[in-house]
Amino acid sequence: MKTAKHRRTLADVLVDHGLDPCRIVVTYNDLDPLDACADFRNIDDVVQANAHHILDRMHDGPNIPDGAVVMSFVAEGADKARLTAFRRFAMRRPGVVPGDIVYDYTAAHLLHAFIARSEHPHFYDVVDETGLDDVVGFLTVEWPNSESRTIIGADDVDLRVSDQSPR
């Protein structure tokens, strides 16, 4: 039996899947309080509307390298986050919004609120990656310092697996 000190890390899961954690970026997505509205009061409302898939594709500045392989996590509360996607990101020219975001009328408020508060809006196109299909939607990790660390490497030793099984 493993103690809390020796619990599995996200890197362990990736290695088990034949992936190199040093080459993967992970994102923590939560609803910015400045983006809240009647339709999106919290991240649960965003997930319920299936609009969470755009949050990590909008950044104030080029925060994710072009061509990066990204694991997208969504806040679950109590410093936990659930894996929602495994994709490759392609950076667009500054300020150029992908069509699937522009025409996602359900998430229009999120886009407009983000643009209104951003100094240097950057957007990303995405392509799904394979290799983690069995854990997307199920894998939950403990997220270290979610207030200040929303983009980190998958090899971060503080990313501890909380749950990996289908619900």
Side-chain angles (χ1 to χ4, degrees), residues 48-167:
Q48 198 71 10
N50 198 32
H52 60 286
H53 63 281
I54 69 168
L55 289 180
D56 60 351
R57 296 175 56 202
M58 304 185 300
H59 289 272
D60 193 2
N63 296 319
I64 297 174
D66 183 45
V69 175
V70 178
M71 296 175 75
S72 301
F73 286 83
V74 67
E76 289 267 304
D79 291 325
K80 291 194 168 129
R82 182 176 42 85
L83 180 63
T84 59
F86 183 50
R87 306 172 291 186
R88 182 173 302 273
F89 278 43
M91 188 184 309
R92 292 181 147 240
R93 287 182 323 215
V96 178
V97 184
D100 67 306
I101 294 176
V102 168
Y103 295 110
D104 186 338
Y105 299 116
T106 304
H109 173 79
L110 294 175
L111 171 64
H112 293 282
F114 164 75
I115 290 172
R117 68 178 164 80
S118 295
E119 291 181 32
H120 306 288
H122 278 70
F123 299 90
Y124 295 83
D125 288 313
V126 291
V127 176
D128 287 335
E129 288 282 319
T130 59
L132 294 176
D133 298 339
D134 62 322
V135 294
V136 170
F138 306 111
L139 177 65
T140 303
V141 297
E142 294 173 6
W143 197 276
N145 303 320
S146 59
E147 306 284 312
S148 61
R149 298 178 64 198
T150 58
I151 302 171
I152 56 180
D155 59 343
D156 189 300
V157 297
D158 291 328
L159 286 169
R160 299 280 176 187
V161 173
S162 178
D163 187 10
Q164 177 176 338
S165 57
R167 297 176 192 237

Side-chain angles (χ1 to χ4, degrees), residues 3-26:
T3 64
K5 208 176 204 184
H6 296 94
R7 284 201 350 255
R8 291 174 50 83
T9 64
L10 177 60
D12 294 331
V13 172
L14 293 171
V15 168
D16 289 350
H17 282 80
L19 299 167
D20 182 356
C22 296
R23 297 180 179 267
I24 299 173
V25 174
V26 292

